[in-house]
Amino acid sequence: MRLAILSDIHANLAALEAVLAEIDGDEFDEIWCLGDVVGYGAEPDACAQLVSERASLCLVGNHDLAVLGALDISSFSPAAAEAVRWTREVATPETLEFLERLEPADISHEVALYHASPRDPVWEYVLWPDQAAECIRMQDARVSLVGHSHVALFFALPEDGASAGGPEARGAQAGAGTRLELDRGRWLINPGSVGQPRDGDPRAAWLELDTDAWAATYRRVEYEIDRAAEAIAATDLPEHLARRLYVGQ
Ligand code: ZN
């Protein structure tokens, strides 16, 4: 299957539309989304509607759960908590019903999906090789996809590194065009964030995944950041949430 993997859209409609336009210019069997459709950005309803129409599979993320009132937001940053409260006020019943149907993990496919990590699908940020190795050893699938950190990166263990006490995972941040050969080894892969990248590249991130050829390619697409920023400025959302989009942080 040829899959387009999206994550952490965060109510950024301009970014989501740019990514979907790229996907539509190519041939993909399915679009999968790893969660956090809303939160931070100004267009939660339009993003939820587009994702519900276009993605054949979508997880729920911690921000989505917070908007649903299903997660304590005391550990959220002030701006994130403010965005949760704002999104709760404006979201339509359709958006909330869509998010309510979603789960934070899906292990029903050959590739496993988790919003955050295999051992904690809602909260854990997988950023370090020793931590990634522990997570990879806990996943049943050989290849798993995670979002949540908003950083495009990957970790890999050799097939024989699956036992406890084995090596640290090899890994790196992955810039645009980075291609992974996934035919052997055990992998944990983050496509980066569509709507709020935090790896210093402000372009919207997504991932091509081919499960026949067992290869993945990291993609970045420019989008109208001004449009997303102006949409935020027109609301009561903290203006910092608009500024950070320009620097990819
Ligand atoms: Zn997120």
Side-chain angles (χ1 to χ4, degrees):
M1 254 204 311
R2 240 179 133 238
L3 301 162
I5 311 298
L6 279 50
S7 191
D8 296 278
I9 294 161
H10 284 295
N12 184 338
L13 182 62
L16 177 59
E17 286 179 346
V19 168
L20 289 174
E22 264 209 338
I23 290 169
D24 289 341
D26 207 332
E27 282 186 19
F28 288 92
D29 297 305
E30 290 185 12
I31 298 172
W32 291 358
C33 173
L34 306 178
D36 275 0
V37 176
V38 304
Y40 291 129
E43 290 166 285
D45 296 323
C47 288
Q49 188 181 341
L50 256 183
V51 171
S52 70
E53 289 168 1
R54 299 297 313 276
S56 37
L57 193 162
C58 185
L59 303 181
V60 73
N62 55 310
H63 288 258
D64 305 319
L65 288 168
V67 167
L68 293 171
L71 196 73
D72 176 23
I73 59 168
S74 58
S75 64
F76 274 46
S77 71
E82 194 55 44
V84 166
R85 285 189 284 270
W86 178 84
T87 306
R88 270 182 203 156
E89 275 170 33
V90 303
T92 63
E94 289 77 16
T95 295
L96 300 177
E97 281 162 23
F98 168 64
L99 297 176
E100 260 164 19
R101 291 197 297 270
L102 310 177
E103 298 290 335
D106 185 325
I107 53 169
S108 65
H109 298 78
E110 190 174 14
V111 173
L113 292 78
Y114 308 92
H115 173 66
S117 94
R119 69 178 161 193
D120 180 347
V122 175
W123 271 119
E124 181 180 18
Y125 293 89
V126 185
L127 291 167
W128 310 107
D130 53 345
Q131 171 202 20
E134 291 170 15
C135 287
I136 291 172
R137 289 186 190 108
M138 294 186 72
Q139 72 195 36
D140 291 328
R142 197 174 63 77
V143 177
S144 70
L145 304 171
V146 301
H148 191 53
S149 70
H150 301 203
V151 177
L153 52 70
F154 65 88
F155 292 101
L157 278 181
E159 213 81 63
D160 59 9
S163 57
E168 283 192 348
R170 160 179 85 80
Q173 284 194 36
T178 301
R179 182 178 161 92
L180 307 177
E181 304 292 343
L182 306 171
D183 51 328
R184 51 180 95 175
R186 296 171 63 77
W187 294 79
L188 188 147
I189 301 169
N190 190 323
S193 167
V194 169
Q196 194 199 69
R198 292 180 194 160
D199 50 13
D201 183 344
R203 296 177 295 174
W206 63 285
L207 184 84
E208 283 179 40
L209 174 64
D210 187 327
T211 59
D212 299 317
W214 280 118
T217 305
Y218 283 88
R219 304 281 300 257
R220 293 308 267 251
V221 56
E222 295 207 21
Y223 74 96
E224 298 166 83
I225 299 178
D226 284 345
R227 222 183 100 197
E230 283 161 17
I232 289 172
T235 69
D236 294 332
L237 287 164
E239 55 176 27
H240 158 70
L241 296 178
R243 284 198 303 270
R244 67 187 297 176
L245 297 176
Y246 289 94
V247 289
Q249 291 295 343

